[in-house]
Structure formats: structure tokens, C-alpha cells
Amino acid sequence: RERRRAGFECELLDRAALKARFGFRREAAILSFGNLEADPRRLALAFLRDAEARGARVAFPVELAEWASHARGVTARTACGRTIRARALVLASGYETPKGVPAPNHRVVSTWAFATRPQPRNLWPERCLIWEASDPYLYLRTTADGRIVCGGEDEEFESAERREAMLPAKIARLQTKLARLLPGADATADFAWAGAFGASEDAAPSIGRIPGEARVHACLGYGGNGTTFSMLAAQMIAADIAGRPDPDAALFAFLR
């Protein structure tokens, strides 16, 4: 009811309906509509190409070594010694927190995932994206060639070495969960990987001006809703630079 009131069309499936429609043995599920899948690399490249077509200049790889704001703008210096001057600076560094940006509520955790061999076509009705709201959570989706991507099992640390060492045990645990949820699936891991994942205490990002820096903005802590929050960040920061108020600014301000 609350989701519908907020404008999200959805359907509540009880145990019987969930089993009949998807074959899952769980107490209930919320089926939502209007979702989509996207290749993040292709999507990012498309955005960059569109920005270039409208006059933006893209440089890569470039490491920002330091920056300083002043009354008329920002001066940034790169690790290779180049100087960049701009009216405003936006730090959008994904899960990595730039130096000088206060982010006490944000952290980087470790996560694991694997992709199976291609599955039978009738195994996955409606190609739904699945998120099990457990702790640790479990998510599943399919690929264009019929594989199942299964992931989760997050841990509260960011050491890459420790993350890789735990890969076999974590993938085995995910395979067990997949087999229990979908007994007819081939849970063999054809590909497996571990990675970093951004999180915050209240599951919300920090977006806006850095405290004490009128010309420097940042977007941090996107977590699992990065596509949605990045769009909000683009609108909010563009409005702030242009001197327009945004009704959501206080919700995501730094040190809230």
C-alpha cells in the first residue's frame, strides 16, 4: 500500500502465488514493475560520448592530486603536474572517498558473486530481478545467454587480499543458497569474483557542497541504488551550481 501511494506499481504475492508463478518456496514476495537492466560500462561510455558531443572534454587516466577553492572558482592539480581551473569542482569517485571530504557515515565493504553455466529457458519466468531481503542478502538475475548471476554475502571489511582469500568459501555458500531456492538450476560456478561495495549507515548517499567549500561538490555512498542516486546527484548539483534551490538537498547533505 505504501509503495503504491508513493507511485510504485507492485503486487504482493503470498506463499501459494509465489510458488505457482515462480517456483520459489518463500512466505511472500513483492513483485514490482518498470525495472530494467543495463551494462554499466556501455552506459557510462554513452553518457561520456553524449557529454563530448555537447562540448565537454574528457581526459583519462588522470589522477587528481590536490585542489584548492577560492572566491572565483577552484584550482586543481593532477599527479602529472597539470593545472585545471574551473568555476566549480564535482568529486564523483564512486566508492572511494577523496581526501578532504568528510564521510563518517560511509564505508566500503566486501561482496562476492558468481555466474553459472547457461540454464534451461523455462527456468526463469519473466526474467525478473530477484532480491531476497535477508541478512546477508541474496540477489539473482539472468544474462543474455541464459546464465544466472548470484551474489551477496557482504562482509564489513575492504581488504582486497582477505576478500580474494575468502572467495572459494563464499562462492560455495552462494551456490548452496541458489540450489535451495531453485532446485532445478545448475549451480556450477563458471565465473566467480569478489569486489568492493559502498554502503552508509542510513543507506542514503551524501550529495552536495563539501562543508566549508562553496565551490566543491561531491557525490558519495551510492550503494545498491547508484543509478537512481546518481541521477538525483546530477540534478541537485547542477541546480546548486546554477544558483537554483533543490527540495531534496537537505536530505542528502554532508554531515546530516
Side-chain angles (χ1 to χ4, degrees):
R1 183 184 302 170
E2 294 301 322
R3 286 172 178 260
R4 287 177 175 170
R5 186 178 298 172
F8 299 102
E9 184 57 38
C10 59
E11 180 181 349
L12 178 63
L13 303 177
D14 61 19
R15 186 182 185 89
L18 182 60
K19 178 66 171 64
R21 188 164 176 176
F22 295 102
F24 298 147
R25 298 181 181 275
R26 292 293 188 271
E27 290 300 318
I30 296 174
L31 179 63
S32 59
F33 305 93
N35 299 303
L36 56 87
E37 297 176 73
D39 182 321
R41 294 180 65 185
R42 293 177 64 183
L43 186 63
L45 286 172
F47 282 137
L48 291 174
R49 291 192 184 103
D50 182 71
E52 284 186 309
R54 291 187 286 170
R57 296 174 62 187
V58 178
F60 176 84
V62 176
E63 179 184 351
L64 190 66
E66 59 181 356
W67 49 265
S69 58
H70 43 83
R72 302 183 64 179
V74 181
T75 300
R77 292 182 176 82
T78 68
C80 62
R82 296 293 184 92
T83 298
I84 302 170
R85 294 181 177 86
R87 187 160 61 94
L89 174 66
V90 179
L91 302 170
S93 53
Y95 299 151
E96 185 177 355
T97 303
K99 293 180 180 179
V101 178
N105 296 326
H106 301 296
R107 63 191 186 279
V108 175
V109 302
S110 294
T111 190
W112 293 264
F114 75 97
T116 69
R117 298 167 179 168
Q119 306 288 323
R121 290 185 178 274
N122 61 354
L123 179 66
W124 203 277
E126 305 175 44
R127 289 202 66 198
C128 288
L129 308 177
I130 299 170
W131 182 281
E132 188 171 42
S134 55
D135 187 12
Y137 64 84
L138 180 74
Y139 69 85
L140 302 98
R141 66 173 181 85
T142 56
T143 64
D145 59 349
R147 302 174 189 271
I148 297 174
V149 175
C150 176
E153 286 293 315
D154 291 12
E155 293 273 0
E156 296 279 343
F157 66 84
E158 58 179 297
S159 166
E161 293 78 10
R162 184 180 173 191
R163 195 161 55 224
E164 290 299 321
M166 295 177 67
L167 183 62
K170 286 292 188 180
I171 297 306
R173 192 171 300 172
L174 288 169
Q175 287 174 298
T176 299
K177 289 184 176 182
L178 172 59
R180 288 174 179 169
L181 187 64
L182 287 171
D186 179 356
T188 303
D190 228 5
F191 303 93
W193 61 94
F197 187 76
S200 65
E201 291 183 2
D202 56 3
S206 292
I207 300 170
R209 298 187 194 186
I210 297 175
E213 300 285 354
R215 301 281 184 171
V216 183
H217 303 73
C219 325
L220 301 175
Y222 287 166
N225 300 300
T227 302
T228 302
F229 286 141
S230 63
M231 188 64 189
L232 282 171
Q235 296 171 345
M236 291 166 56
I237 292 177
D240 194 21
I241 292 174
R244 302 190 307 270
D246 188 285
D248 298 323
L251 294 174
F252 305 107
F254 279 84
L255 302 180
R256 57 184 180 279

